[in-house]
Amino acid sequence: MSITRKRKVDEENRVFKDDWTERYTFILLKSSTKPFCLICNDTVGVMKSGNVKPHYETKHRHFERQYPQNTEVRTAKLRQLKSSYESSNKLLVRALTQQERATEASFRVAWVLGKNKKPFSDAEIVKECLVEIAEALFERKERQEMSEKLKKIPLSNDTSTRRTEVLAHDLVKQLTDDIKDAPCLSLAVDESTDCTDQAQLCVFVRYFSKAKGTFCEDFLGLTPLCHTRGEDIYDAIMQMLNERGIDVKNVVSIATDGAPAMIGKEKGAVQRLKEEHSDLLTYHCIINQSMLCASLGKIQTSWKLL
């Protein structure tokens, strides 16, 4: 039984003919495979004379009567239609570009506010300041244009919140990709309680960044804990690694404090990690030891100076 192969138009290598513009008022747009009608701004499905010609003869008979073939009137009209389309297309591109720039400016303001730990509501104050600066620096038409552009920048509380969330997700993705590309990494883990008496597990990571060509230290994540047992800390660490797609075998060392939940011989989080990765190196955090030493006598004054 023979199987009929479905016809694919893309494989027929059809070519747009230049004379279709003069005869049928069609042009071929950039990055498009469908002829575009200059009169009605419509397109035909397939690039062939059998589609272009019927469209012109059926929908634009009046154009043929008003502007006969091979006349100067027709040539001038086609030139006018082309110019009109190009002008409208430039306006559309310009509008999209201005909108993209306003969005970029919104992201930049959200980034600066985040770096300086300022509330999202300050974004509206930033816009007001920018408008006042434009009023002072520019004159007449430039002042009006600049003020209108600044006022179009979306900087409401909700918008700044969304921008910050997008930036945060992008930073997490960049960090995760950088860590995945590293041959090995080490973790520093600490558990403490916040001002609401909620237990929090804080994890820092140190790794060699191939992209930057140097060792990097960064904040990997903060996870709330319902309980502070060794198994809970272990589950939180593993969940954080799994969500980022990081193999626990790539973790060569981990630094913790001396709490039983961390370094307990049977149920401590480090011991459970060693069951997953027997070559894991463990260290007692040097900062905790230094603080204990600093709390003794004269060393305390020296440590404060450091």
Side-chain angles (χ1 to χ4, degrees):
M1 180 178 178
S2 62
I3 300 176
T4 304
R5 185 172 179 267
K6 188 175 180 180
R7 174 171 169 252
K8 293 184 178 180
V9 177
D10 295 341
E11 296 178 358
E12 296 182 2
N13 298 321
R14 297 185 180 274
V15 179
F16 181 85
K17 297 182 179 180
D18 295 335
D19 64 337
W20 289 354
T21 302
E22 176 67 27
R23 296 172 61 187
Y24 309 124
T25 69
F26 273 87
I27 61 173
L28 186 64
L29 304 179
K30 292 182 179 179
S31 67
S32 176
T33 58
K34 296 181 178 181
F36 177 84
C37 180
L38 289 171
I39 301 175
C40 63
N41 295 339
D42 199 2
T43 58
V44 295
V46 183
M47 193 187 304
K48 65 177 184 179
S49 178
N51 283 26
V52 174
K53 183 178 179 180
H55 174 93
Y56 174 75
E57 293 179 345
T58 302
K59 296 185 177 182
H60 307 303
R61 293 179 182 177
H62 65 284
F63 189 87
E64 180 68 23
R65 293 192 297 267
Q66 191 173 359
Y67 305 98
Q69 298 276 351
N70 302 320
T71 61
E72 294 183 1
V73 179
R74 185 183 182 91
T75 303
K77 184 61 177 178
L78 289 174
R79 191 182 301 115
Q80 179 187 349
L81 291 173
K82 284 183 180 180
S83 177
S84 177
Y85 168 75
E86 291 173 355
S87 299
S88 62
N89 192 44
K90 287 180 180 179
L91 288 174
L92 178 61
V93 172
R94 182 181 178 185
L96 290 174
T97 302
Q98 289 180 352
Q99 184 177 2
E100 290 172 355
R101 288 177 178 174
T103 302
E104 181 184 351
S106 178
F107 271 105
R108 288 179 178 271
V109 172
W111 175 262
V112 173
L113 291 177
K115 286 198 303 181
N116 292 277
K117 301 178 183 178
K118 297 298 181 180
F120 300 135
S121 57
D122 284 2
E124 288 289 353
I125 301 176
V126 172
K127 180 192 287 189
E128 185 177 350
C129 292
L130 291 174
V131 173
E132 292 297 329
I133 291 173
E135 292 286 341
L137 294 180
F138 300 97
E139 297 180 357
R140 298 180 182 178
K141 188 177 180 180
E142 289 184 353
R143 175 194 300 171
Q144 183 179 357
E145 291 179 354
M146 186 61 64
S147 298
E148 289 177 356
K149 289 180 180 180
L150 292 173
K151 290 177 181 178
K152 289 180 181 179
I153 300 175
L155 291 176
S156 65
N157 290 351
D158 294 339
T159 301
S160 298
T161 302
R162 291 193 300 269
R163 299 286 188 260
T164 304
E165 290 174 350
V166 171
L167 290 171
H169 292 157
D170 183 67
L171 286 174
V172 170
K173 184 179 182 303
Q174 290 184 42
L175 175 62
T176 301
D177 293 341
D178 212 15
I179 293 174
K180 286 182 179 180
D181 198 33
C184 57
L185 58 106
S186 60
L187 301 177
V189 182
D190 189 31
E191 177 273 321
S192 186
T193 55
D194 57 21
C195 58
T196 63
D197 207 28
Q198 168 68 52
Q200 303 281 356
L201 184 70
C202 185
V203 181
F204 283 83
V205 61
R206 180 179 173 84
Y207 63 97
F208 182 80
S209 173
K210 291 183 179 179
K212 299 176 182 177
T214 185
F215 284 96
C216 298
E217 293 182 3
D218 214 318
F219 180 67
L220 186 62
L222 183 70
T223 302
L225 298 173
C226 296
H227 303 283
T228 57
R229 299 169 300 183
E231 58 184 306
D232 300 312
I233 297 174
Y234 163 77
D235 291 338
I237 295 173
M238 291 301 299
Q239 181 180 358
M240 192 178 298
L241 294 176
N242 292 332
E243 287 178 352
R244 304 288 182 85
I246 302 172
D247 189 357
V248 68
K249 300 291 185 181
N250 291 339
V251 181
V252 297
S253 66
I254 183 170
T256 65
D257 59 16
M262 289 289 186
I263 61 172
K265 291 184 179 180
E266 296 183 1
K267 297 183 179 181
V270 173
Q271 183 61 34
R272 292 175 180 270
L273 286 171
K274 283 187 174 182
E275 293 176 1
E276 298 283 343
H277 184 17
S278 58
D279 295 330
L280 180 68
L281 300 175
T282 60
Y283 300 98
H284 190 290
C285 181
I286 187 66
I287 297 178
N288 296 90
Q289 296 174 340
S290 300
M291 291 302 295
L292 290 174
C293 293
S295 63
L296 301 177
K298 297 180 180 180
I299 303 180
Q300 185 173 4
T301 304
S302 301
W303 179 255
K304 285 182 179 179
L305 292 175
L306 292 174

